[in-house]
Amino acid sequence: MNSGDRNDRAAWLKGPSIKCSGLPEKLNRPWRLVLLGPPGVGKGTQAELLTRRLGACHLSTGDLFREAQHRSEREQTLAMGAALNFMKRGALVPDAIVWELIRERTSCLHCQGGFVLDGFPRTLAQAKALQVLLENERLSLDAVVTYELPGAEIISRLSGRRTCEKCMAIFHQTAQPPRIEGICDRCGGALFQREDDRPESIAVRLDAYEHSTAPLIQFYRNAGLLTLVVATGSGEEIFQRTMTILESRVKPTGDGSQYEQSAVFAR
Ligand code: ADP
């Protein structure tokens, strides 16, 4: 395991003027991934497992908004206050607000351990903006992993989900309960049910996914980056499935003539 364990993602969660503590170690070929899939499919859990294994930083837009939610109103910008109102209803935050936050955090895309983007991009406009930003920053994605799951299972996963208010670790009332009810195994923080995991918000989120985010699958398929993963089974099983597929992908050495496996997998 690497120092990704201790990375507090401060620059991402609190703003780019704050320094991260426990930066991931510097990698020669850091992985840069995007995770897609409907809400409740387990992207957050997979992002955590992947970032620990790959040494990358977990860049979750949902965590960014939830972190702001725990700040007092005075500490929130007007744009963030508006964003949180959309989030509570389960609706997508407008592209302009999301984009402002991402643009401010461009330095996170250069993280020396790479990154796993979770929850962004979520609309075609966001995906196109990200493409231009990455080109300008001379960065490229290695893969876009999309998780697939039947609708009934999604609803059961969302309604039983509990999140740590301190470290954002994810549990499930039946599938992955904490050792002590209501308490995070990892940091001792209190577990809460996200407001947008209530039934009325779940329906809005699933609808937003179908209309706004599902079209990204074709966008990334056309770009040759799409990797489909079936998200049934335990978190660990899904993770192993993801790693097997990612390990079969190769990364260019730079001159385009030779290909080799990422150093991360050689450890
Ligand atoms: P989910 O479990 O739905 O994948 P996330 O934690 O990724 O949840 O996001 C929670 C909420 O934050 C979304 O329902 C939405 O309101 C808002 N949000 C997060 N990322 C974006 C984005 N890229 N564009 C618009 N809204 C977003």
Side-chain angles (χ1 to χ4, degrees):
M1 215 45 71
N2 54 50
S3 57
D5 274 345
R6 290 176 283 111
N7 176 13
D8 66 357
R9 306 183 287 163
W12 177 258
L13 295 176
K14 299 195 170 88
S17 57
I18 315 281
K19 277 209 159 48
C20 293
S21 91
L23 267 181
E25 70 188 66
K26 193 169 180 354
L27 299 173
N28 286 338
R29 288 186 178 76
W31 278 79
R32 299 189 177 101
L33 303 174
V34 166
L35 303 190
L36 287 182
V41 82
K43 291 188 300 293
T45 303
Q46 292 308 312
E48 270 189 46
L49 294 168
L50 282 166
T51 48
R52 265 190 262 163
R53 169 75 185 264
L54 304 177
C57 188
H58 179 189
L59 306 182
S60 155
T61 40
D63 283 352
L64 181 56
F65 292 132
R66 282 183 286 280
E67 161 76 23
Q69 212 172 7
H70 291 122
R71 279 185 235 146
S72 71
E73 270 182 32
R74 265 185 349 146
E75 288 175 308
Q76 278 168 23
T77 60
L78 269 180
M80 187 54 93
L84 295 179
N85 283 331
F86 283 97
M87 187 182 94
K88 283 176 201 157
R89 293 202 312 270
L92 288 189
V93 175
D95 284 340
I97 300 180
V98 177
W99 183 241
E100 186 56 29
L101 292 166
I102 298 291
R103 222 181 35 78
E104 273 175 16
R105 288 162 174 76
T106 303
S107 59
C108 292
L109 301 174
H110 287 277
C111 187
Q112 60 186 18
F115 61 77
V116 175
L117 269 171
D118 162 20
F120 177 87
R122 232 181 177 95
T123 64
L124 218 39
Q126 291 178 11
K128 288 179 180 168
L130 176 66
Q131 194 178 31
V132 173
L133 178 65
L134 290 173
E135 274 167 24
N136 289 342
E137 298 296 316
R138 297 181 194 286
L139 295 170
S140 54
L141 295 175
D142 296 301
V144 174
V145 181
T146 182
Y147 291 101
E148 295 186 320
L149 194 67
E153 179 133 2
I154 288 179
I155 292 170
S156 135
R157 284 195 190 178
L158 286 173
S159 44
R161 174 160 70 181
R162 297 293 179 270
T163 307
C164 173
E165 65 174 19
K166 262 207 211 150
C167 74
M168 312 285 171
I170 301 163
F171 297 85
H172 188 278
Q173 279 189 310
T174 50
Q176 197 195 336
R179 282 192 294 271
I180 304 169
E181 202 190 324
I183 305 288
C184 176
D185 286 351
R186 198 205 273 173
C187 76
L191 302 183
F192 72 102
Q193 180 173 37
R194 285 168 40 174
E195 255 180 280
D196 60 348
D197 280 346
R198 289 172 313 187
E200 60 277 22
S201 302
I202 291 175
V204 179
R205 284 160 69 202
L206 289 174
D207 195 56
Y209 175 78
E210 273 315 313
H211 285 98
S212 304
T213 313
L216 297 192
I217 293 176
Q218 193 55 41
F219 177 83
Y220 284 119
R221 183 177 282 128
N222 293 345
L225 288 167
L226 197 75
T227 303
L228 286 174
V229 177
V230 176
T232 50
S234 69
E236 190 55 36
E237 281 163 354
I238 302 163
F239 171 62
Q240 289 308 333
R241 217 172 279 146
T242 310
M243 287 306 297
T244 304
I245 297 177
L246 283 179
E247 281 171 354
S248 70
R249 287 188 87 101
V250 286
K251 298 189 79 183
T253 57
D255 64 4
S257 62
Q258 285 174 300
Y259 290 82
E260 68 176 44
Q261 198 72 43
S262 163
V264 168
F265 301 117
R267 284 185 197 153

